[in-house]
Amino acid sequence: MSLLILMSVFIGGLALGIPVAVTLGLASAAYLLFSGIPLVVMPQKMYAGMDVYVLLCIPGFILAGNLMNSGGITERIIRFANALVGWARGGLGLTNVAASMLFGGISGTAVADAASIGGMMIPGMKKAGYPADFSAAVTAASSTVGPIIPPSVPMIIVGALSGISVGQMFLAGAIPGIMMGLAMMVTTYIIAVRKGFPRQPWQGFGELGRSFFGAFWAIAMTVLIVGGLMTGIATPTETAVVASVYALFVGIVIYRELPLKAVPRIVIDSAISSAAILALVGFANVFGWILVSERIPQTIAETVLSITDNKFLVILLINLLLLFVGMFMETIAALIILFVPLLALAQGVGIDPLHFATFAVLNLMIGLTTPPVGVCLFICANIARLPLWPVVKAIVPFLITNIIVLLLVSYVPAFSTWLPSVLLD
Amino acid sequence: MTRLIDIITQASRIMTGLSFLVLMGAVILQVLGRTVLNYSPVWTEELTRFALLYLAAFGLGLSFRSGDLVNVDIISEALPAPWPKRLRFLGAATTALLCAALIGPAWKYTSIGAMQTSPALLWRMDFIHASVLVMIVSLMVFSALRAVSILTGASEGLAQNRMEEFQS
């Protein structure tokens, strides 16, 4: 009965539009009251959930991405991506995907990617004769690469939940992220050829070199982050803070496009975004504790394993469940609630936790572009000034592409586990 | 009313920013201490953790105001008027009520900390546990302000980010 109350309040709260973190708190409080457990458990578990050293790197990476974005990096990344791939058929679509991949190396969230790249690329593509729905769809789809390519806020959360090091998680996402980006480029090219989209003239090696040097400082930040973690010189938190200082230096001294007076606002806004994530982690920790105390992870694992212990089928079931949940739920909340129960199931059939964590994050990122709740889809449709439906139709080929990559990553563990094993062992 | 909201917002922004600066400062000192200064204080890690807790505490109410504290509004905003506004009120009022119910337990949890000290900084832990209390109060204040502003007709109850979307 208590569990029924927990789930009813949770689903009802979400449907009524109450913030996800508050809904988790509300459902947990209802459960505790009904079960006769003192409410003091809530602040205690919230504190325990947030007082995790790994989470310290979240504000740093968010700030680094925001500083870079405000410091004129987006234009430079797009210019370099355009010089690199813009000459092919559907060049601006390919530029869009390549820019998202490069942007993913400095930003840890897909929303930042969709808003930054989309703000420039969608109007530009429309002006160049690309259909608005395709422009919005390719931007939304490619923005999901951001949190797969390191750094990644969802990967940090998974690290905090599972005890897997953030360095391992970041490296595990590198190959799947690149695969996803390349696959979306192929899809873009095929659509461009079939629909006769324009191509940009080849701008020559001179422009390629100049644009590379323009974007160099942004690309170097990815190297700084990955290098710092790989060599073990710095912890993820230290890497995040060093990346922020680096982004500040590049924006003010090198690019000279980051006004000093804008820095306090960017710092505070980044802190506010981080506070929302941390509160979600805090409230979800209470909810998660209730699920564990009710033996929900074990029950799920035992129930599924009593039906089948076929690894192939279990991976498929996990993916179908996550895709379904991702359609309706905010990514980080879904990750926090479902990760631990599903990890128990995955380990029950011998799936490596690092492998599971990678395909779970990749799966939930796809949810950012699926209706009815797809944040990146909303952002891009809004920028393109389109209703949601045409963008939903236009994104279908990219969704199919991303699901194919998801299946590859799900069934070939080496895509996620090889790089960490080579570079960190 | 507007003046009061401005003061609370500005105070929260300053405290959130200060917490972030303390976090950054402690980590920078940690890195410089290890690599350049040959001085590695043991308390930096603890201070960064505490700063993060207060960053979340002071920033939570602001994240409710800005819309960073996400909600799933696909159903609630698709309903015919005046239901979206009514549900925004319900969301804000429910948030404020939950927080009000949690103030007592959060105070109790804070008090428990008086019996402990942090290992490195030797700070009384009730000051650190109080971050959860601050967090709940911050969320309660901003959600109550939104509920009141909807009731008085001063606003439509949209989060700041949503208002900007509508205006753009």
Side-chain angles (χ1 to χ4, degrees):
Chain A
M1 185 63 185
S2 310
L3 211 55
L4 188 69
I5 288 177
L6 180 86
M7 294 319 291
S8 312
V9 175
F10 178 63
I11 294 167
L14 285 184
L16 290 172
I18 298 170
V20 180
V22 177
T23 306
L24 287 165
L26 208 57
S28 305
Y31 171 92
L32 294 175
L33 287 173
F34 193 80
S35 309
I37 300 171
L39 275 183
V40 73
V41 165
M42 273 193 77
Q44 187 193 1
K45 293 292 169 197
M46 283 169 70
Y47 181 94
M50 292 184 294
D51 187 26
V52 177
Y53 188 71
V54 168
L55 296 176
L56 279 164
C57 52
I58 291 177
F61 282 128
I62 290 180
L63 175 62
N66 287 346
L67 284 171
M68 272 291 189
N69 196 22
S70 308
I73 194 59
T74 313
E75 300 93 323
R76 288 174 171 86
I77 283 181
I78 290 174
R79 186 181 159 196
F80 173 55
N82 195 30
L84 196 67
V85 294
W87 49 270
R89 175 74 60 195
L92 283 183
L94 298 174
T95 300
N96 197 325
V97 181
S100 285
M101 290 171 76
L102 292 168
F103 198 83
I106 57 169
S107 152
T109 65
V111 173
D113 188 330
S116 310
I117 304 278
M120 291 193 182
M121 285 303 297
I122 295 174
M125 286 176 75
K126 280 166 72 177
K127 210 170 165 184
Y130 287 78
D133 55 353
F134 172 80
S135 309
V138 72
T139 310
S142 62
S143 70
T144 57
V145 171
I148 315 290
I149 291 176
S152 156
V153 170
M155 296 283 194
I156 297 167
I157 304 267
V158 165
L161 290 171
S162 64
I164 302 170
S165 86
V166 172
Q168 276 189 312
M169 282 305 313
F170 278 7
L171 288 177
I175 292 177
I178 293 168
M179 281 167 66
M180 219 166 147
L182 293 178
M184 274 189 279
M185 281 188 171
V186 172
T187 308
T188 304
Y189 182 76
I190 293 169
I191 295 172
V193 170
R194 288 178 62 177
K195 297 199 173 174
F197 290 161
R199 52 160 45 121
Q200 314 290 110
W202 164 244
Q203 296 170 45
F205 285 104
E207 168 59 12
L208 186 63
R210 278 190 299 277
S211 63
F212 172 76
F213 283 112
F216 172 80
W217 297 102
I219 298 164
M221 189 161 121
T222 312
V223 177
L224 177 87
I225 292 167
V226 176
L229 292 171
M230 255 169 51
T231 53
I233 293 172
T235 65
T237 305
E238 291 169 352
T239 308
V241 171
V242 170
S244 300
V245 175
Y246 172 85
L248 192 66
F249 179 79
V250 171
I252 292 174
V253 180
I254 297 177
Y255 291 157
R256 296 180 185 181
E257 286 186 30
L258 180 62
L260 256 180
K261 64 177 183 186
V263 174
R265 183 187 52 78
I266 298 168
V267 169
I268 293 170
D269 286 348
S270 304
I272 292 171
S273 303
S274 311
I277 297 173
L278 288 161
L280 194 55
V281 172
F283 280 112
N285 197 48
V286 189
F287 194 87
W289 173 77
I290 293 170
L291 293 186
V292 171
S293 63
E294 287 278 353
R295 290 180 46 85
I296 299 299
Q298 292 94 324
T299 309
I300 292 174
E302 283 161 15
T303 310
V304 175
L305 293 175
S306 69
I307 300 165
T308 176
D309 57 359
N310 181 317
K311 196 170 168 178
F312 183 90
L313 278 180
V314 170
I315 290 178
L316 190 66
L317 282 174
I318 291 175
N319 273 318
L320 287 174
L321 175 71
L322 289 174
L323 278 173
F324 179 75
V325 172
M327 286 172 68
F328 298 95
M329 226 177 134
E330 201 272 332
T331 317
I332 290 178
L335 201 58
I336 296 169
I337 296 165
L338 288 173
F339 186 80
V340 174
L342 293 180
L343 179 63
L345 173 60
Q347 286 184 302
V349 289
I351 299 170
D352 181 82
L354 183 63
H355 173 216
F356 166 70
T358 311
F359 76 75
V361 171
L362 206 156
N363 186 314
L364 286 171
M365 288 308 115
I366 295 174
L368 289 168
T369 57
T370 52
V373 182
V375 184
C376 294
L377 205 58
F378 298 161
I379 291 172
C380 295
N382 194 32
I383 296 171
R385 303 200 179 280
L386 282 175
L388 204 57
W389 184 238
V391 187
V392 170
K393 279 200 289 186
I395 210 166
V396 170
F398 295 102
L399 281 180
I400 294 169
T401 308
N402 283 347
I403 289 171
I404 292 170
V405 175
L406 170 67
L407 291 175
L408 281 171
V409 174
S410 301
Y411 287 111
V412 185
F415 286 134
S416 44
T417 57
W418 177 75
L419 201 59
S421 70
V422 171
L423 295 176
L424 290 179
D425 282 350
Chain B
M1 181 76 174
T2 316
R3 175 112 183 97
L4 178 71
I5 295 173
D6 283 348
I7 291 170
I8 296 172
T9 306
Q10 281 312 317
S12 300
R13 285 183 71 86
I14 290 167
M15 294 309 290
T16 308
L18 282 176
S19 305
F20 202 172
L21 288 182
V22 170
L23 189 157
M24 299 271 291
V27 175
I28 290 168
L29 179 66
Q30 194 170 300
V31 175
L32 288 179
R34 207 178 50 234
T35 54
V36 184
L37 304 172
N38 202 19
Y39 162 71
S40 295
V42 290
W43 47 264
T44 47
E45 184 186 319
E46 210 168 81
L47 184 61
T48 48
R49 275 180 23 234
F50 296 165
L52 181 75
L53 288 166
Y54 272 99
L55 177 152
F58 288 114
L60 182 57
L62 293 168
S63 75
F64 180 83
R65 182 175 179 265
S66 66
D68 282 290
L69 198 66
V70 286
N71 64 336
V72 180
D73 59 7
I74 192 87
I75 300 170
S76 55
E77 293 298 329
L79 295 171
W83 281 102
K85 191 174 170 180
R86 284 179 185 167
L87 289 178
R88 275 178 236 138
F89 171 76
L90 180 73
T94 311
T95 306
L97 285 174
L98 172 70
C99 292
L102 286 177
I103 284 181
W107 176 256
K108 192 174 177 187
Y109 178 64
T110 302
S111 312
I112 292 169
M115 290 175 269
Q116 304 160 343
T117 49
S118 66
L121 286 162
L122 301 177
W123 286 356
R124 273 174 43 178
M125 284 304 288
D126 49 351
F127 293 127
I128 311 305
H129 286 187
S131 58
V132 182
L133 184 64
V134 173
M135 185 181 220
I136 285 165
V137 170
S138 162
L139 184 58
M140 186 180 76
V141 168
F142 280 95
S143 52
L145 283 173
R146 185 183 293 174
V148 170
S149 69
I150 296 172
L151 268 187
T152 56
S155 91
E156 288 294 303
L158 286 165
Q160 207 177 34
N161 294 350
R162 286 300 303 266
M163 281 194 293
E164 284 163 9
E165 273 173 36
F166 277 93
Q167 283 158 4
S168 65

